[in-house]
Amino acid sequence: TVYNGEGYLRASIESILNQTFGGFEFLIIDDCSTDSSSPIIQSYSDSRIKVVTNPVNLGQTRSLNLGLQLAQGEYLARQDQDDISLPHRLKMQIAYLDDNPDIGILGTSAWIINGRGQYVAYMARPAHQLEVLWSSLFANPFAHPSVMMRTRILRANRLTYDAQFHYSQDYALWCQFLKFSQGANLREPLIKYRIHNSNASYTRAQAVTSEARAISKQCLREYFPEDMLSEEELHNFVSLFIVDTPLISNLQFDRAKIAMMYLDLFQLFTDRHPSSSAIPSLYRHTSLEAIKSVVRPLPVAPGWLRVVWRALQLDVSVLWYFPLWILDHLL
């Protein structure tokens, strides 16, 4: 989908046209751009490109749903107008999905770049399907521009982007998708995900966070018994585990109690998915998250030792990983 994307659009389009896998249709939905985006799109004569020009500006979510409706391929891949797919992205994702019929949605890790195309950071995403499912209860488990989905699952279950969300519509869709199929992420970064001062993740950070928290609450309510979390506990839970950098003024509640509840939910999750015990990284991540929630921000929460002891029972290796996290956090 394209709306006034002239600054990065050409590089984005060419990253798809230059894929090592060539058998695809390339849908570009121009949402009434008022800059030079339309001439840029029209300058390409590749027969794989199919341009749809909206008669009126529909917005991102409705334009995305139009793409879901029009796509004809067995697999449906996504990319934003300012991001770049590495040349072997489609080939690698198709090969994985061909070899793993139980996976219905596949994302990848990503390189974060700035407006000048310079490397900023590496964005990892949970790889194993159970890590994806657990992560989806708290945050978006996929980098939206990296995903590839099985079109038949979307159609069979009438899945679309939820129009009530303007910035986190992808996260809401994944939560629904994962009810009908499994998801995974390739560890290899196959996209360059651009962060700059014009995209929504930068300019609408507060709205993005608010929508993501609402979706997480809904996911938790649907996955776990309603009596496990009161509305107040759910609010505190999301405040502690969903916000990336919580402020101490926002955490005036018993953090140790909520952290223990987090571990209780994980125990219930593992009871439902016994095979999760074979995924050390899932246990390690959960243990570290519980411990981190009671030691930051300072002061350390009363009752933190109970949380540490419970976390060690899940994964004793945090005795090694936690000091490394402390060093990394301080540096």
Side-chain angles (χ1 to χ4, degrees), residues 40 123 159 170 237 263:
I40 291 173
M123 178 194 290
L159 299 176
D170 58 321
F237 188 88
L263 296 175

Side-chain angles (χ1 to χ4, degrees), residues 121-322:
Y122 167 73
M123 178 194 290
R125 282 293 181 258
H128 189 276
Q129 43 263 56
L130 286 176
E131 291 178 299
V132 167
L133 182 58
W134 173 249
S135 298
S136 73
L137 301 173
F138 309 99
N140 194 334
F142 298 106
H144 194 190
S146 79
V147 297
M148 180 179 285
M149 299 170 275
R150 296 186 190 273
T151 309
R152 62 173 174 79
I153 296 176
L154 289 166
R155 302 274 163 75
N157 300 288
R158 299 181 180 181
L159 299 176
T160 61
Y161 292 95
D162 191 332
Q164 71 173 304
F165 299 111
H166 300 288
Y167 310 109
S168 299
Q169 64 276 88
D170 58 321
Y171 179 23
L173 176 58
W174 313 148
C175 288
Q176 296 304 309
F177 198 105
L178 292 172
K179 295 177 182 179
F180 304 101
S181 183
Q182 298 185 63
N185 280 293
L186 298 178
R187 296 188 187 278
E188 182 172 349
L190 295 178
I191 65 164
K192 294 181 180 180
Y193 184 68
R194 195 185 302 270
I195 301 295
H196 55 91
N197 59 9
S198 297
N199 59 11
S201 58
Y202 185 93
T203 61
R204 305 285 194 275
Q206 186 172 355
V208 172
T209 298
S210 177
E211 287 191 357
R213 293 176 69 167
I215 295 166
S216 175
K217 283 185 177 183
Q218 182 178 337
C219 290
L220 288 164
R221 278 284 187 234
E222 292 178 354
Y223 195 85
F224 294 111
E226 189 171 346
D227 58 359
M228 283 199 70
L229 289 167
S230 68
E231 192 58 37
E232 180 182 3
E233 288 169 336
L234 181 61
H235 175 78
N236 294 341
F237 188 88
V238 171
S239 297
L240 188 58
F241 286 102
I242 309 307
V243 181
D244 291 332
T245 54
L247 299 174
I248 189 65
S249 59
N250 295 331
L251 300 179
Q252 301 302 319
F253 53 82
D254 189 341
R255 283 190 279 155
K257 176 184 176 182
I258 300 300
M260 293 294 283
M261 189 174 297
Y262 174 72
L263 296 175
D264 288 341
L265 294 178
F266 183 69
Q267 184 65 61
L268 180 58
F269 178 85
T270 57
D271 289 344
R272 292 184 181 181
H273 304 282
S275 59
S276 63
S277 61
I279 311 171
S281 58
L282 181 59
Y283 280 72
R284 186 177 311 123
H285 171 79
T286 305
S287 301
L288 282 172
E289 287 299 302
I291 295 174
K292 288 186 315 189
S293 72
V294 292
V295 300
R296 69 158 186 165
L298 294 174
V300 174
W304 66 274
L305 274 175
R306 289 188 297 116
V307 177
V308 172
W309 176 246
R310 176 79 181 278
L312 286 173
Q313 292 175 314
L314 275 182
D315 183 13
V316 71
S317 72
V318 295
L319 283 173
W320 164 251
Y321 282 94
F322 187 67

